[in-house]
Amino acid sequence: MKRSVGPQTADLMLGVAPHAMRPPHHTPRPAERIIIALFIAIPIACLVWMAVQWVNYGIDLPYFDDWRAYFDGTSGSFSLKYLFTPANDTLYAVGKFLESLNFMIFKGNSVVDQLLSMTTTLGFLLLLQWILLKSALDDRLLTACAFAFTLLMLQSDSYWGRQNIAYHQAVPLIFILGAVYILVVSPWPWPVRSFVLFVMGILSGLTYTSGAFSLLALAATLIVCIAINRRAFGDLIPDGVALFCASVITVIVQGYVLVFVQHGQVHTGTPWSLPNSPEFWFYLFGKVGRSLMLAGSDPLRSLLVVLLCMALAVTVAIAGLRNVKTAETRHSVPARSGLITLLLFASVFFYLLMVAAGRSDLRPANISTPLQLFAFGFARFHFFWATLIWPWVFAGAIVMATMLWPRKMGAIRIVAVVATSCVVVFTMAAGVFAHASYFRQTSDLTLRNGACLHAKLLIGGPIDCPTLYPRDMTLAYANAVKMGASFIRYFPPDLLERAPGNPTWNVLGKPIDGVTVSNAKAETRPGNQLNLSAGKDVQMAFSVGQAGDLHHCLAVRVDSTVGVENPTTVQLFYVPWGASTFSEANSRTRQIAAGNGNAVRFLVIEPHGFKNEFRLDPVSDSQPSVVKELNVSCVLREPGVAG
């Protein structure tokens, strides 16, 4: 009788006993269920705690690169020109689309933006890690142990707390894990798999430069795995081709940005660091150390731990390659674990190479020794990608142990639980739940930046707050007001009402030949007063200064006193620079009561400046009126332009 070769037979052929991994139908004992629930719950609780503390301490104010879209007035834009215009050494059309979507719905609210990106990005990563670990280990207890290592991904001071757009650099990881899920777990037929993988590859590459190059590393690794064991992995050939084509397309696009837009340089002319320099590797090791939550203050000890962990990772990768090479079927536990490990390691390692190449020379002059470079590598959020691999280093070690000692599964599971418990305790002691203190620090910085912005508005600019953005932000603020950005409610243009005029024109304090009254008779009186008779649609058109005097003025304040017999509405019309005539869209209204002393003030902001043409309609109905003290002031001027 001909017998089929199933998963258990394949395991025996690989030297693994059928009981080397607990079969899926194994019912955990009560103690196991408690441990499983605990190890699954801790990372989820950490994410929830992180979100809660961000809501507690987050402040709605853009920071550094978040201002970029306000400078050119593109916030909320979905135009292809905007989406595909590179910035910050990369082309990130997907990230720009997500930010425009947030601006359209929430007007760029920083608290909402970061809360949504935090919960969705980290939530997807946790979910995908769990699904992949479960498919690779086939033992719920060991899967929970490996999943607990995702705590390292949830440490503070990563992509959240400062810039809204920082998380764009983490989005490619969703596509990478998603691609691995489709390759290893999904039951879809190859045409569907290949199409979805191609789309995901394009999206990953258009999210950030790292998404293109790391996906190329993943695709190349997949092709190598297929080549060395076509019998087991041959049905993934179309998938490998789809991923490779998508990655090549996006690498060409991102390479064009690096070569022709950045002129072969990164970060404003900083030279590339190459792997043949020790500085490159010590900086890279620093990123790995930070991903393990080691202490940068004790660099020697941390470096030794990093080297040990990386040695284990290399061992796991070699074992994974062996499992891929000897697999009879790609659905066996060793084959799945080996393939996933190799694909993720390749992606993360290539990312770390890119970071070290582009950033290791971005250091102060006083950092020169190897240990100083190692400690310098702990800074900023580029460690995040490295946290992806530690659950797989642990999972790979478990698979290695089960293959070496197939009859000691019970002892292996006990050691796994003990080791995981130690790691969980270590991460807690290192501050993995310390999100409150971190977000409190970032909110203190935001409050200081907000105080600076507030003070600059009170004096009419220029808005230069170096810890908020390293250049004058006057134009960006004017655009934010015009677009209705969320943070403007806390820093309203009303603050400019107290600002000194630069300059100020007294329209009625001189011969009023420049004032044209329509639909009413006008009579001048002493004390800068103009009496107007009743009429239908009474208008006062006037100009101030020379034709281009207000071209570089971003905020105009118009003050007057209007006397009327009955309550009415005063309306001011203005002409933005580039417009041709008055319109309702470019006007402001104020309600006034009956009486002679109604002080009326209009504050208008235009990012492109104004023409020197205005029109004041003192009444909205037919009644006599008195206009006194009509003054026009520029209270916010384009940076670098004299008044």
Side-chain angles (χ1 to χ4, degrees):
M1 178 181 290
K2 186 176 180 179
R3 298 177 63 184
S4 62
V5 180
Q8 286 188 339
T9 307
D11 285 344
L12 286 169
M13 294 173 69
L14 288 169
V16 183
H19 55 277
M21 284 289 185
R22 291 273 180 164
H25 62 267
H26 167 73
T27 302
R29 293 184 290 273
E32 288 185 17
R33 286 198 294 266
I34 294 174
I35 295 172
I36 291 169
L38 187 63
F39 285 163
I40 294 174
I42 290 175
I44 296 173
C46 189
L47 174 57
V48 172
W49 180 250
M50 183 179 181
V52 169
Q53 295 310 311
W54 171 246
V55 172
N56 282 341
Y57 293 104
I59 298 175
D60 182 18
L61 183 64
Y63 182 71
F64 265 69
D65 290 345
D66 299 331
W67 287 96
R68 191 183 298 136
Y70 290 118
F71 274 100
D72 51 18
T74 53
S75 294
S77 172
F78 293 97
S79 72
L80 292 179
K81 180 180 179 181
Y82 162 66
L83 294 178
F84 286 90
T85 298
N88 198 30
D89 307 330
T90 187
L91 189 149
Y92 59 109
V94 174
K96 286 185 174 181
F97 179 86
L98 294 174
E99 290 311 303
S100 292
L101 193 64
N102 170 65
F103 194 88
M104 183 181 72
I105 301 173
F106 302 109
K107 294 299 180 183
N109 188 297
S110 297
V111 178
V112 175
D113 190 354
Q114 294 200 41
L115 178 65
L116 291 176
S117 67
M118 175 195 304
T119 53
T120 54
T121 303
L122 293 175
F124 271 120
L125 292 177
L126 288 176
L127 177 62
L128 289 168
Q129 287 276 48
W130 170 258
I131 294 173
L132 291 175
L133 288 166
K134 185 179 178 183
S135 71
L137 290 176
D138 205 19
D139 181 300
R140 196 171 179 84
L141 177 63
L142 295 177
T143 301
C145 290
F147 182 74
F149 282 70
T150 59
L151 268 176
L152 295 167
M153 184 178 67
L154 301 170
Q155 58 184 286
S156 59
D157 196 11
S158 60
Y159 293 119
W160 294 273
R162 298 182 187 270
Q163 298 176 98
N164 300 339
I165 66 174
Y167 82 96
H168 293 172
Q169 299 187 46
V171 173
L173 288 175
I174 297 177
F175 294 119
I176 288 171
L177 285 175
V180 175
Y181 166 81
I182 293 172
L183 289 169
V184 176
V185 180
S186 74
W188 304 339
W190 75 261
V192 176
R193 288 200 318 264
S194 299
F195 174 76
V196 174
L197 286 170
F198 180 81
V199 173
M200 292 178 67
I202 294 293
L203 292 176
S204 177
L206 295 181
T207 301
Y208 221 80
T209 301
S210 54
F213 286 91
S214 60
L215 193 78
L216 178 62
L218 184 149
T221 304
L222 175 62
I223 292 172
V224 170
C225 291
I226 295 172
I228 64 176
N229 191 347
R230 191 166 180 175
R231 177 181 56 183
F233 299 96
D235 59 335
L236 296 180
I237 291 176
D239 306 316
V241 172
L243 280 174
F244 186 76
C245 291
S247 60
V248 168
I249 291 171
T250 54
V251 163
I252 291 174
V253 172
Q254 297 289 4
Y256 175 86
V257 173
L258 290 173
V259 175
F260 295 101
V261 178
Q262 299 298 128
H263 306 292
Q265 298 177 324
V266 292
H267 306 295
T268 63
T270 302
W272 294 89
S273 179
L274 299 178
N276 60 355
S277 66
E279 294 84 357
F280 179 98
W281 293 105
F282 280 104
Y283 180 83
L284 187 150
F285 293 158
K287 294 301 178 189
V288 176
R290 173 63 194 280
S291 74
L292 291 166
M293 298 191 71
L294 301 175
S297 57
D298 190 357
L300 181 58
R301 180 183 300 175
S302 297
L303 178 59
L304 292 175
V305 175
V306 165
L307 294 175
L308 288 173
C309 291
M310 292 189 70
L312 177 60
V314 170
T315 304
V316 167
I318 294 172
L321 182 61
R322 175 187 174 277
N323 291 336
V324 166
K325 184 178 180 179
T326 59
E328 293 291 331
T329 170
R330 69 182 181 92
H331 299 292
S332 66
V333 167
R336 280 187 171 185
S337 175
L339 181 63
I340 295 172
T341 298
L342 291 173
L343 295 179
L344 295 184
F345 280 22
S347 299
V348 171
F349 181 63
F350 204 90
Y351 170 81
L352 291 175
L353 292 178
M354 292 178 62
V355 170
R359 304 195 69 90
S360 60
D361 282 337
L362 280 173
R363 61 182 187 271
N366 62 338
I367 295 179
S368 57
T369 68
L371 289 180
Q372 287 176 335
L373 281 162
F374 174 76
F376 179 66
F378 278 60
R380 291 177 62 82
F381 43 61
H382 301 95
F383 71 90
F384 186 87
W385 279 53
T387 64
L388 194 77
I389 69 171
W390 300 121
W392 293 98
V393 172
F394 178 84
I398 291 296
V399 173
M400 287 171 53
T402 58
M403 295 181 70
L404 290 172
W405 302 290
R407 299 185 180 280
K408 296 183 178 180
M409 195 63 195
I412 291 172
R413 298 172 94 237
I414 292 173
V415 171
V417 170
V418 172
T420 303
S421 301
C422 292
V423 170
V424 170
V425 171
F426 167 77
T427 57
M428 288 183 175
V432 74
F433 277 88
H435 298 296
S437 60
Y438 170 68
F439 288 141
R440 192 182 300 116
Q441 293 174 9
T442 60
S443 69
D444 288 344
L445 174 62
T446 306
L447 287 172
R448 292 195 297 272
N449 288 332
C452 176
L453 177 58
H454 185 276
K456 298 296 183 180
L457 290 173
L458 287 177
I459 62 174
I463 305 176
D464 51 345
C465 298
T467 58
L468 186 58
Y469 195 78
R471 58 181 262 211
D472 191 293
M473 301 160 51
T474 306
L475 178 60
Y477 175 81
N479 277 320
V481 172
K482 189 70 175 179
M483 293 184 290
S486 173
F487 76 93
I488 294 299
R489 75 185 79 177
Y490 307 112
F491 307 94
D494 294 349
L495 296 171
L496 293 167
E497 292 185 355
R498 303 178 186 178
N502 180 30
T504 296
W505 292 274
N506 186 349
V507 178
L508 301 181
K510 59 180 180 178
I512 60 171
D513 297 338
V515 179
T516 301
V517 178
S518 303
N519 306 323
K521 294 180 180 180
E523 180 182 358
T524 58
R525 294 290 181 88
N528 299 331
Q529 178 173 316
L530 188 65
N531 287 13
L532 303 174
S533 65
K536 185 178 181 181
D537 193 18
V538 178
Q539 302 175 0
M540 289 175 54
F542 59 93
S543 60
V544 295
Q546 301 299 316
D549 283 356
L550 293 176
H551 181 195
H552 300 288
C553 182
L554 307 184
V556 166
R557 184 179 63 211
V558 179
D559 294 287
S560 185
T561 301
V562 180
V564 292
E565 296 177 352
N566 301 302
T568 189
T569 300
V570 183
Q571 188 168 15
L572 174 75
F573 290 83
Y574 59 93
V575 183
W577 192 265
S580 57
T581 186
F582 297 119
S583 67
E584 287 290 333
N586 296 318
S587 70
R588 298 289 186 272
T589 59
R590 294 289 185 272
Q591 303 290 327
I592 60 172
N596 292 321
N598 290 297
V600 181
R601 169 170 285 178
F602 298 93
L603 184 68
V604 184
I605 289 185
E606 277 294 334
H608 302 293
F610 300 83
K611 291 186 176 180
N612 66 337
E613 303 170 13
F614 297 86
R615 195 184 92 197
L616 185 71
D617 295 358
V619 293
S620 58
D621 51 5
S622 181
Q623 62 171 310
S625 57
V626 177
V627 178
K628 296 185 287 188
E629 299 294 338
L630 180 57
N631 298 317
V632 177
S633 305
C634 176
V635 292
L636 190 64
R637 184 164 290 279
E638 187 176 328
V641 180

